[in-house]
Amino acid sequence: MNDNHLSVSVASLRLSNPTMLASGILGYSAETMEEIAKSGASAVVTKSVGLKPRTGYANPTVVQTKCGLINAMGLPNPGIEEFAKEIKAAKAALAATPLIVSVYGFSEEEYATVAKKAAEAGADAIELNVSCPHVKETGSEIGQNPEILSKVVRKVKSSVDKPVFVKLSPNVTDIAEIAETAEKAGADALTAINTVKAMAIDTETAIPILSNKIGGLSGPAIKPIAIRCVYEIYERVKVPIVGCGGVTNWRDAVEFMLAGASAVQIGTAVASKGLSVFGAVSRGVEAYLKRKGFKSVNEIVGLSHRS
Ligand code: RRO
């Protein structure tokens, strides 16, 4: 079996294998980018960037719990003007590995302006963050409202030629309905899911641990939620789905693909296990395909829906 068995297409991106780096995990220095590409990740999603610089929330911004990480970073980023330089440097360091720039805004115009600038700086695709669980007037406040979401996706689609991914929030009543809205508005792919709204309180001081009080849970605890979301979305849309949420090993990746994902993003496991997780997941998926007699990883996408 060779690499071709692992290659997948998501929108117009041709990926050498189904593992991508999720948004918000690593810095974007040329050195880090080179290491990521060498590690076997088939694409990189950047931290979310907006029109203007933001410092984000005060510490603590991350809390480790028994069942996963809760973060409330608050969208810290240098703003698109500054970040455009990083996009250019990252592109050069990544060589053929696609760079997907995650974008947020406080209005449809802002999303479109940032997406346009990211595309001009060299982004191979845009991922719209309409699912950050705890920053007011952006993120999930956009992604929870079909009318606003539709306007944002349409505006961005009319402003850039690159594929547009829409990253969805699990913190909604019916994620498949939101997925359908994004698809109708022109989304080329959907990423499911962003973090699950969560909280931790210090029992000695009786004070919420995160400075923002509420954050988003990631890691293995949310995988079953993410699998259910991908499964429900797959029943309702035609565009490719990228699974995200708690992928730690090859079996998790296979489970997402059986649910309907064409590829997966890995985030928290990169923070805990390091970059070797990409190669390990790909090798495990490859061994699974061989053992089960599949010729291509694409054959297992959505397979669980037969039953
Ligand atoms: O920056 C954050 O606090 C953050 C973002 Br933008 C997001 O999309 N999801 C998340 O859990 N945290």
Side-chain angles (χ1 to χ4, degrees):
M1 194 173 283
N2 61 37
D3 245 20
N4 288 341
H5 299 92
L6 284 180
S7 68
V8 296
S9 290
V10 179
S12 58
L13 299 184
R14 185 100 182 125
L15 308 176
S16 58
N17 69 69
T19 69
M20 308 166 36
L21 176 70
S23 176
I25 304 302
L26 297 172
Y28 309 102
S29 68
E31 293 78 18
T32 313
M33 289 296 149
E34 267 172 30
E35 276 179 47
I36 295 168
K38 270 194 229 143
S39 73
S42 68
V44 169
V45 189
T46 69
K47 173 79 191 150
S48 298
V49 62
L51 196 56
K52 298 193 187 120
R54 257 179 82 94
T55 46
Y57 301 138
N59 283 326
T61 52
V62 181
V63 51
Q64 172 92 56
T65 72
K66 259 191 191 157
C67 60
L69 277 187
I70 311 177
N71 89 82
M73 314 295 291
L75 282 162
N77 78 97
I80 187 64
E81 294 301 340
E82 192 57 33
F83 199 64
K85 296 177 202 155
E86 293 187 46
I87 294 172
K88 284 178 192 152
K91 270 301 291 170
L94 280 171
T97 304
L99 181 68
I100 303 168
V101 175
S102 171
V103 160
Y104 76 90
F106 291 96
S107 65
E108 56 196 84
E109 287 78 17
E110 269 192 32
Y111 270 96
T113 304
V114 180
K116 193 159 184 270
K117 290 188 182 210
E120 282 164 5
D124 296 295
I126 302 296
E127 183 177 85
L128 298 180
N129 184 343
V130 291
S131 46
C132 176
H134 47 64
V135 177
K136 293 212 176 329
E137 292 169 30
T138 184
S140 60
E141 289 196 14
I142 296 208
Q144 281 166 354
N145 183 320
E147 248 175 67
I148 302 177
L149 174 65
S150 186
K151 281 188 190 155
V152 167
V153 176
R154 280 180 209 284
K155 184 88 185 166
V156 172
K157 277 295 291 175
S158 67
S159 308
V160 295
D161 286 336
K162 302 288 176 185
V164 174
F165 292 47
V166 177
K167 186 166 183 178
L168 301 174
S169 170
N171 308 307
V172 294
T173 309
D174 185 357
I175 195 168
E177 182 197 338
I178 304 287
E180 224 173 2
T181 302
E183 182 184 50
K184 276 199 192 121
D188 299 291
L190 302 170
T191 304
I193 55 175
N194 205 317
T195 51
V196 177
K197 262 187 159 187
M199 184 172 189
I201 298 169
D202 187 315
T203 48
E204 295 308 311
T205 60
I207 294 172
I209 296 174
L210 296 169
S211 75
N212 188 57
K213 300 188 175 77
I214 289 177
L217 180 66
S218 62
I222 72 166
K223 193 195 74 180
I225 299 171
I227 295 285
R228 183 267 301 168
C229 288
V230 170
Y231 189 92
E232 287 183 345
I233 294 168
Y234 187 81
E235 302 243 307
R236 295 269 283 273
V237 305
K238 296 255 178 315
V239 290
I241 304 163
V242 181
C244 181
V247 175
T248 305
N249 57 42
W250 67 266
R251 202 179 283 280
D252 300 328
V254 166
E255 195 179 347
F256 268 104
M257 298 187 87
L258 295 174
S262 298
V264 294
Q265 292 181 359
I266 308 181
T268 304
V270 175
S272 60
K273 290 183 150 184
L275 290 170
S276 62
V277 68
F278 294 107
V281 169
S282 283
R283 284 191 297 277
V285 172
E286 194 169 27
Y288 171 84
L289 297 175
K290 194 172 178 192
R291 177 160 62 80
K292 292 284 193 183
F294 294 111
K295 291 196 173 56
S296 158
V297 71
N298 297 296
E299 290 172 37
I300 70 169
V301 175
L303 209 56
S304 70
H305 291 260
R306 287 187 316 185
S307 49

